[in-house]
Amino acid sequence: MPTLNPRQAEAVEHIGGPLLVIAGAGSGKTRVITCKIAHLVRARRLAPNAILALTFTNKAAREMKARVGKLLRGRDGRGLKVSTFHAFGLNLMRREPASVGLRPGFSLFDPEDGATLVKAYLREHALAEVVSPAAVLGRISRWKSELIDPVLAATTAEDDFEAALAGLYAKYEQSLAAYNSCDFDDLIIRPVRLLRDDADARERWQNRIRHLLVDEYQDTNGAQYELVRLLAGPRGAFTVVGDDDQSIYAWRGARPDNLARLRDHYPSLKVVMMEQNYRSSGRILKLANSLIGHNPHLFDKRLWCELGPGEPARVLVCRDETNEAERVAAEIQHAHLTRDRPYGSMAVLYRSNHQARPFEQALRSLGVPYFLSGGTSFFARAEVKDIMAYLRLLANPADDAAFLRIANVPRREIGPSTMQQLADFAGKRGLPLADACTAPHLSEHLPNRQAQRLRELAELLAEHRAQASATGAHANPIAAARDLLGRIDYAGWCRDNAPSRAAAERRLGNVNDLMAWLARLHTEAAAGDGRLATLADLVARLTLLDVLERQDEAEAADRVHLMTLHAAKGLEFPHVYLVGMEEELLPHRGSLDDTTDETTAEGGDEPAGRDAGIDEERRLCYVGITRARQSLTFTRARRRRRFGETVRCAPSRFLAELPAAELHQSGSTERTDEEARAHGSAQLAALRGLLADR
């Protein structure tokens, strides 16, 4: 058994009744849960199959199971159940489907299945113009997380809009029943209803589970709270671990007050406070304590450590988002080159996914490897894949995969059946799809209109391919590629198909980044050996970068981590850059606007909603600070582009809530001498890398 501090040991050894462990960031909560499981089996002689540990993600469940496996080897751990809430619910429903209102062999709907259902309902519905399928599903999910059925949703609707949504909820549930299906929320609420309404089932499952452990309890919603209470029963044989200061999921129904509600149902509840932090330096913890001290608390605590004070945190004030990204990237490269700091030891954390793009661009330009977590990598974005497919086709007309991607992008009335007929025609003649479009007799196998559309596309590609492959002093494959994008009006396609103006702007920004990157590669190739690179050379280079970027994280661990603050929850890094410390970014503009709605997505660009508020945004910043072990750097920009305009940015109020004595502030937006040296070293390293690749 690992060595435990007094508070950890108290939590592990308490068996006499219900236990709530308030575990501060970095205080060893997973160690407590795994050691308690081992203690229950070895010291208390509880059968492993009578213990259930619940958490929220598959990754956390796997890690917990692996750590318990090191403590309980062989037969000692056989039968132990460690799973997510949803996996447990699915197991219960598969054991007794009839009891939860389903037939054997029921299906599980994923969000895309649900969106397809709702989209069909909305086609001829008055709400179609004002609400998206995702927003409808989000509202249904919130109702379900509070155990509200369609009838109750309709009778408690506050206005006609809510009543209409409740009607869609009823139709959605009717469809699920007709398909003998359930969705992810049903994996919690159906077991809750069974255990609540069926005394025999409740007794059966309470006898099966003699001790229940729950991780990240502050993230439970109303339905999950009821599930825990019904499984634990009046005995209250449970250990739940949580931290109200790290509750950052209100937008998906999490209720940190579930920690306090336990006292209402279990007056004998014992509370153990774990405040010793094993992760961060003393100065970092002072920042965290000071910030979170501005929030109301269910349980007061103050993190402390024995790791020494550490270095002061810094605040970098930058001109704009480009300057911010360039300074951070140069620092990272400099630290790697001069301090032998592994890239994987450094993380850039931000509030919203859209903030990643300038950091990706700055790191790529310096040849710094990175891994984008909690978002979509540059090459995986649809618009980048579209343009790459066009570039590949200009370089290689036989690239059928690329042709299939762009044949109807932008829309050319070339549907799946047309493409299937074209593929059959080309296959029989041994032709690439692009060549088959202009082959004789195609019109005999396709309607004239579709055959003409395909011919026009092939001729368009051939024209720009000839331009891209021209030789001589005026050869410019980049101009040929840009001309093609103009001819097809890809920008117009993006604007017409993006869900919002901001999304369209981001997509077009990614296209412009890709084309600018292509131009830089072309210029660098000419400067390196005087040889003009062909489009095929440039595309091959970008394709290789794409392949490398898609490598699994485990295969290339030494990469800078880029992620949202939500995605960083539960992780830690020696060196952290917490960027975008500005009003309307962190705290998010949605928390400042009393008129925002409740819909959002993790790390997304839509408001978190007024119900989350400033307190949740402060908790999110607190989570970011407590990810850092050795060094912490905040950055903010004086100006930032927003919705196509450059606006002045006010510093985040959270910076003012930090103790000034613990911060080293740089008011200059210009590079310091050290930053200039860092940038020079980074550029030199990048140049060496380019030359080494030739």
Side-chain angles (χ1 to χ4, degrees), residues 180-192:
N180 189 33
S181 299
C182 63
D183 63 16
F184 278 57
D185 291 306
D186 287 326
L187 299 180
I188 307 298
I189 66 171
R190 286 180 184 265
V192 165

Side-chain angles (χ1 to χ4, degrees), residues 393-687:
L393 270 176
L394 291 185
N396 174 20
D399 192 331
D400 282 356
F403 187 88
L404 287 169
R405 179 169 186 92
I406 59 86
N408 207 36
V409 176
R411 192 168 289 112
R412 300 183 176 91
E413 299 179 19
I414 300 173
S417 60
T418 299
M419 292 304 297
Q420 183 60 57
Q421 290 172 289
L422 176 66
D424 291 342
F425 176 83
K428 291 175 181 176
R429 288 158 180 77
L431 295 172
L433 294 176
D435 288 352
C437 292
T438 56
H441 312 300
L442 176 62
S443 57
E444 298 173 10
H445 299 267
L446 281 171
N448 286 335
R449 184 177 179 83
Q450 276 65 45
Q452 180 62 25
R453 295 279 184 180
L454 290 169
R455 186 176 299 105
E456 289 171 356
L457 172 59
E459 290 172 350
L460 178 72
L461 292 170
E463 176 187 341
H464 288 83
R465 185 178 303 116
Q467 181 185 350
S469 59
T471 58
H474 300 291
N476 191 339
I478 311 304
R482 290 189 188 278
D483 287 348
L484 173 60
L485 297 184
R487 284 276 296 278
I488 64 175
D489 190 20
Y490 190 81
W493 160 261
C494 278
R495 294 189 187 97
D496 291 343
N497 289 274
S500 66
R501 175 185 168 189
E505 183 177 310
R506 287 194 298 274
R507 292 178 184 180
L508 290 174
N510 290 329
V511 172
N512 291 334
D513 282 351
L514 180 64
M515 297 308 297
W517 193 5
L518 198 71
R520 284 198 303 274
L521 289 176
H522 187 250
T523 302
E524 289 164 358
D529 56 14
R531 182 181 65 87
L532 288 175
T534 66
L535 185 61
D537 294 335
L538 301 176
V539 171
R541 215 178 159 90
L542 287 177
T543 303
L544 177 59
L545 287 169
D546 182 9
V547 171
L548 293 175
E549 191 169 278
R550 286 187 280 110
Q551 295 295 317
D552 186 79
E553 183 176 11
E555 295 177 7
D558 191 25
R559 292 190 276 177
V560 176
H561 301 266
L562 302 182
M563 63 181 65
T564 64
L565 289 164
H566 284 98
K569 177 76 164 56
L571 303 177
E572 60 182 68
F573 307 95
H575 311 283
V576 166
Y577 291 85
L578 185 45
V579 303
M581 292 293 295
E582 302 143 32
E583 293 289 291
E584 300 194 22
L585 269 183
L586 186 63
H588 193 281
R589 63 182 179 274
S591 67
L592 309 175
D593 184 357
D594 287 341
T595 65
T596 56
D597 67 23
E598 300 172 344
T599 59
T600 189
E602 175 189 331
D605 302 324
E606 299 304 317
R610 62 177 178 268
D611 292 339
I614 294 296
D615 289 344
E616 175 141 336
E617 292 293 298
R618 187 176 286 109
R619 291 194 293 268
L620 197 56
C621 186
Y622 172 84
V623 165
I625 291 172
T626 54
R627 299 313 94 193
R629 291 169 52 191
Q630 299 170 24
S631 75
L632 175 63
T633 301
F634 300 97
T635 70
R636 68 177 181 88
R638 294 190 189 278
R639 299 180 300 277
R640 194 175 291 270
R641 284 189 64 79
R642 191 169 293 156
F643 302 115
E645 299 179 0
T646 299
V647 298
R648 293 193 65 83
C649 304
S652 170
R653 68 189 67 192
F654 300 149
L655 288 175
E657 294 173 357
L658 301 176
E662 303 301 331
L663 293 173
H664 173 73
Q665 300 226 27
S666 167
S668 172
T669 59
E670 301 304 321
R671 291 193 182 107
T672 63
D673 289 342
E674 182 177 355
E675 288 174 339
R677 287 194 297 272
H679 186 75
S681 298
Q683 294 285 19
L684 181 59
L687 180 59

